[in-house]
Amino acid sequence: MRADRLFGYGAVLGFAGDLLTGDPRRGHPVAAFGRAAAACERALWRDDRARGTVFTALCAGGAVAAATAASRLARRSPAASVALTGAATWAVLGGTSLAREARTVGAALAAGDLRLARERLPHLCGRDPQALDGQQIARAVVESVAENTSDAVVGALVWGALGGVPGLVGFRAVNTLDAMVGHRSPRYRRFGWASARLDDVAGYPGSRLTAALTVLAAPNRRAAWRTWRTDGPKHPSPNAGPVEASFAGALGVRLGGTLSYGGRIERRPVLGDGNRPVEVADIERAVRLSRRVSALALATCVAGRYVLRGSGRGTR
């Protein structure tokens, strides 16, 4: 049986697994990787880029090497190959947990429980929740849903289509390292440089596909396209910009503006400047849009791998 078909079956199986179960509270493979990376950081940390580059290479390279070895063993059996791809896809996707956390914050805001909303927001993003009112929390949730649709779903599927199980695992490893050490705090400004730059490179194709599929799935495609092309380049992140801007246009809301991370104030450009402010009801709309984009990404990546593998055989 062709390897691209085996990948397709496994990817669909893993996607369905995430849809049905989400992330387990204990024993998640990504959490285990995070603990191993944290131990490696404690051993290697110095305030310089060279040490950070070694840390990134060891952690991401080790994850890819382990996934490659497992893939080679699984090739002996189609069933094992499908099972491994399904397990890896389930492990690296986070769409269901993203939707669950967003809806939890949305329900708290709808009930007027600002304390609970502030308590749950750190499960979605790293902003300082105590300084935010209800509308600002709702905006933060919509922005997080948009960005993590790319980071937690589409980007992983893209790299799975390109590199199979090692691609899936490698992307999640890089994304996890960026979340751990890629921010610009005094401790990680130099040490986390390599992880942050590698995440920018790895996230590039997924973010563009996410933006394109958001336009396709948007109620107002013209507005989503226009906001992506006009406002996306204004964002300081090369990958979050296209995604958040396309969501802003698709939902007809205004994103961006003043943010607070770890006591550090950032004033970001406004995305969708002529749109209305985010409302609590927009959280559910963003989650549903994310679901549509994720399903389209699965279909696109499975079909894309089939086409690429087929054309590659034809040129030999």
Side-chain angles (χ1 to χ4, degrees), residues 88-226:
T89 303
W90 166 80
V92 304
L93 296 187
T96 294
S97 295
L98 172 65
R100 184 183 300 150
E101 292 296 338
R103 283 170 169 156
T104 297
V105 177
L109 291 174
D113 193 342
L114 195 58
R115 180 197 61 80
L116 178 59
R118 286 171 173 161
E119 182 180 301
R120 299 298 301 185
L121 185 63
H123 291 259
L124 281 170
C125 60
R127 299 183 196 178
D128 300 328
Q130 300 307 318
L132 303 179
D133 60 23
Q135 191 280 324
Q136 291 169 323
I137 290 175
R139 191 192 81 195
V141 172
V142 171
E143 290 172 351
S144 182
V145 168
E147 183 174 0
N148 283 293
T149 299
S150 178
D151 288 346
V153 183
V154 181
L157 292 173
V158 167
W159 281 101
L162 293 172
V165 170
L168 288 165
V169 172
F171 176 81
R172 178 53 59 223
V174 169
N175 193 248
T176 302
L177 293 175
D178 178 63
M180 293 176 64
V181 305
H183 38 91
R184 296 184 178 182
S185 66
R187 177 177 175 84
Y188 295 125
R189 184 171 288 110
R190 294 184 180 86
F191 185 81
W193 175 85
S195 292
R197 298 292 75 75
L198 184 58
D199 183 67
D200 286 342
V201 173
Y204 187 93
S207 67
R208 271 64 188 175
L209 180 59
T210 303
L213 294 178
T214 299
V215 172
L216 184 62
N220 188 336
R221 294 177 181 175
R222 181 175 297 179
W225 167 260
R226 183 176 60 251

Side-chain angles (χ1 to χ4, degrees), residues 2-312:
R2 286 173 50 163
D4 46 10
R5 290 185 180 178
L6 296 178
F7 171 82
Y9 297 148
V12 170
L13 183 66
F15 188 92
D18 177 68
L19 191 64
L20 293 172
T21 66
D23 296 335
R25 295 186 182 277
R26 295 181 180 179
H28 196 289
V30 175
F33 172 79
R35 289 191 293 271
C40 186
E41 179 199 338
R42 288 193 293 271
L44 290 175
W45 187 88
R46 294 290 186 280
D47 188 21
D48 66 70
R49 289 184 175 183
R51 282 295 189 107
T53 301
V54 171
F55 163 78
T56 302
L58 284 175
C59 293
V64 171
T68 300
S71 295
R72 288 176 177 171
L73 288 174
R75 286 176 188 170
R76 302 171 184 175
S77 165
S81 183
V82 170
L84 178 63
T85 302
T89 303
W90 166 80
V92 304
L93 296 187
T96 294
S97 295
L98 172 65
R100 184 183 300 150
E101 292 296 338
R103 283 170 169 156
T104 297
V105 177
L109 291 174
D113 193 342
L114 195 58
R115 180 197 61 80
L116 178 59
R118 286 171 173 161
E119 182 180 301
R120 299 298 301 185
L121 185 63
H123 291 259
L124 281 170
C125 60
R127 299 183 196 178
D128 300 328
Q130 300 307 318
L132 303 179
D133 60 23
Q135 191 280 324
Q136 291 169 323
I137 290 175
R139 191 192 81 195
V141 172
V142 171
E143 290 172 351
S144 182
V145 168
E147 183 174 0
N148 283 293
T149 299
S150 178
D151 288 346
V153 183
V154 181
L157 292 173
V158 167
W159 281 101
L162 293 172
V165 170
L168 288 165
V169 172
F171 176 81
R172 178 53 59 223
V174 169
N175 193 248
T176 302
L177 293 175
D178 178 63
M180 293 176 64
V181 305
H183 38 91
R184 296 184 178 182
S185 66
R187 177 177 175 84
Y188 295 125
R189 184 171 288 110
R190 294 184 180 86
F191 185 81
W193 175 85
S195 292
R197 298 292 75 75
L198 184 58
D199 183 67
D200 286 342
V201 173
Y204 187 93
S207 67
R208 271 64 188 175
L209 180 59
T210 303
L213 294 178
T214 299
V215 172
L216 184 62
N220 188 336
R221 294 177 181 175
R222 181 175 297 179
W225 167 260
R226 183 176 60 251
T227 308
W228 168 21
R229 304 311 299 169
T230 302
D231 294 348
K234 301 175 183 177
H235 198 286
S237 168
N239 295 328
V243 176
E244 291 186 19
S246 63
F247 262 68
L251 299 173
V253 298
R254 189 165 63 244
L255 302 178
T258 302
L259 311 175
S260 176
Y261 287 95
R264 187 181 74 255
I265 301 297
E266 292 187 16
R267 291 177 174 82
R268 294 183 177 176
V270 173
L271 311 176
D273 194 17
N275 296 340
R276 61 174 174 80
V278 174
E279 299 172 355
V280 174
D282 293 316
I283 293 176
E284 179 62 28
R285 294 178 64 224
V287 168
R288 291 180 180 176
L289 178 60
S290 173
R291 288 295 200 192
R292 293 195 297 273
V293 169
S294 298
L296 287 170
L298 175 66
T300 301
C301 291
V302 169
R305 183 175 174 89
Y306 185 87
V307 170
L308 289 173
R309 286 300 184 102
S311 63

